[in-house]
Amino acid sequence: MDTTQEDETAGRSSSGVTVKPVVNAVRILRFLTETDTPERAADIARQLSINPSTCFNILRTLAAEDMVAFDPASKTYSPGLGLAKLVGHLVTQGQRLDIARPLLQQFAARFHVTVTLWRQMGYDRIVLVSSEASPTDLRIDMAIGQRLPIFMGASGRLFAAEVDLDPTAMRAAFDKIRWARPLEFDEYCQQVQFAKEHQWAIDDGYFSAGIMAIAAPVRDRAGAISFAVSAVMFRGQYIGADADKLGGEVRKLADKLSNLLF
């Protein structure tokens, strides 16, 4: 067994398969960004307890991708332009969310709800990237970074309305979701169709008992869903026609965010 195979085998855990060279690459990038001076491959390997040959191969690969810069004179490595561009893109996205925050705060205060922004992560998950609670004593707080199955919640119905899945595949994804209260698949499909027609969706206690959410899609310039903005509230806070009106307001907020972010 060669070094790479040994590293990959060592990276396996009970939670799945971890590719050890990838982990080491991340450790190397983190190490180089935290040090103030360029480092030699041998010193990096020693500091991180990585096999020297493996460390050199990872550094050579990172250099080829411009993630690190190699100085042939001193034979040292430092963070590369490619890494700076990658980080710069992420910072830009964060800055856009900062610009949008006042809109979310104003909406939360006006309607006494918690406003959240969800983004697709991979093919089967959405992740919470921003949350602004109403400035009241009784409110709902949601932790940024939490992940949900892509078809769960009001936001999930929006993403479900966008994908072109056959009924069998949709049913398989639906059956994997743990709902807080019983929900029939046919009823869920009707709610997805409603989201497609009205450009907003509602989850009335199925995501979490006692909680209702109304969401609308935030679209990029190409018309694809980039985010889903959701108003989260206690069940019974908005009912009937009032809930429909709030759905329209959330959609207006989504349109404003689309113009602001893109």
Side-chain angles (χ1 to χ4, degrees):
M1 180 179 291
D2 59 25
T3 302
T4 300
Q5 289 175 324
E6 291 176 350
D7 286 339
E8 290 178 347
T9 300
R12 291 188 176 93
S13 67
S14 59
S15 60
V17 177
T18 300
V19 182
K20 190 67 172 181
V22 176
V23 174
N24 283 334
V26 173
R27 293 177 63 214
I28 289 170
L29 290 173
R30 185 181 295 119
F31 175 78
L32 289 175
T33 57
E34 291 176 350
T35 57
D36 295 327
T37 58
E39 298 286 343
R40 296 170 62 90
D43 294 329
I44 296 172
R46 185 179 66 256
Q47 290 286 340
L48 300 180
S49 300
I50 301 175
N51 178 280
S53 176
T54 299
C55 186
F56 174 76
N57 288 332
I58 292 174
L59 284 166
R60 185 170 58 180
T61 302
L62 291 173
E65 297 295 329
D66 291 328
M67 293 295 107
V68 301
F70 176 65
D71 182 352
S74 62
K75 299 188 183 303
T76 57
Y77 295 85
S78 57
L81 180 60
L83 181 62
K85 289 181 178 179
L86 180 63
V87 173
H89 171 73
L90 294 176
V91 170
T92 300
Q93 176 177 296
Q95 289 174 336
R96 290 205 306 260
L97 293 179
D98 286 339
I99 293 173
R101 185 164 290 114
L103 271 181
L104 306 185
Q105 293 172 336
Q106 292 167 13
F107 193 95
R110 178 184 173 190
F111 293 100
H112 305 289
V113 297
T114 293
V115 182
T116 58
L117 268 180
W118 297 85
R119 187 158 200 174
Q120 185 173 352
M121 185 176 187
Y123 69 92
D124 63 346
R125 294 280 168 177
I126 54 177
V127 60
L128 181 61
V129 296
S130 185
S131 177
E132 297 296 333
S134 170
T136 57
D137 292 336
L138 187 61
R139 60 187 185 181
I140 300 170
D141 288 316
M142 300 186 68
I144 293 176
Q146 65 175 287
R147 304 175 187 179
L148 297 175
I150 191 169
F151 295 150
M152 191 172 194
S155 298
R157 286 161 174 79
L158 298 173
F159 286 103
E162 293 291 306
V163 299
D164 187 21
L165 287 183
D166 60 70
T168 301
M170 180 69 79
R171 181 58 188 260
F174 174 86
D175 287 341
K176 292 179 181 179
I177 300 175
R178 295 182 178 179
W179 302 100
R181 66 189 185 100
L183 177 63
E184 296 295 329
F185 178 65
D186 289 343
E187 183 178 358
Y188 176 80
C189 289
Q190 292 174 8
Q191 294 171 1
V192 170
Q193 184 61 32
F194 177 92
K196 190 172 186 177
E197 294 173 357
H198 295 81
Q199 291 300 294
W200 62 272
I202 187 168
D203 181 290
D204 191 9
Y206 299 107
F207 161 62
S208 179
I211 301 297
M212 186 173 81
I214 295 176
V218 178
R219 300 184 180 277
D220 60 22
R221 293 182 180 179
I225 294 183
S226 182
F227 300 92
V229 61
S230 180
V232 185
M233 68 216 77
F234 297 105
R235 288 189 72 194
Q237 188 172 339
Y238 288 88
I239 58 176
D242 289 336
D244 291 340
K245 290 180 182 178
L246 183 60
E249 294 295 334
V250 175
R251 181 177 176 180
K252 290 179 184 178
L253 173 62
D255 291 340
K256 291 179 181 178
L257 290 171
S258 296
N259 293 329
L260 181 64
L261 297 175
F262 304 101

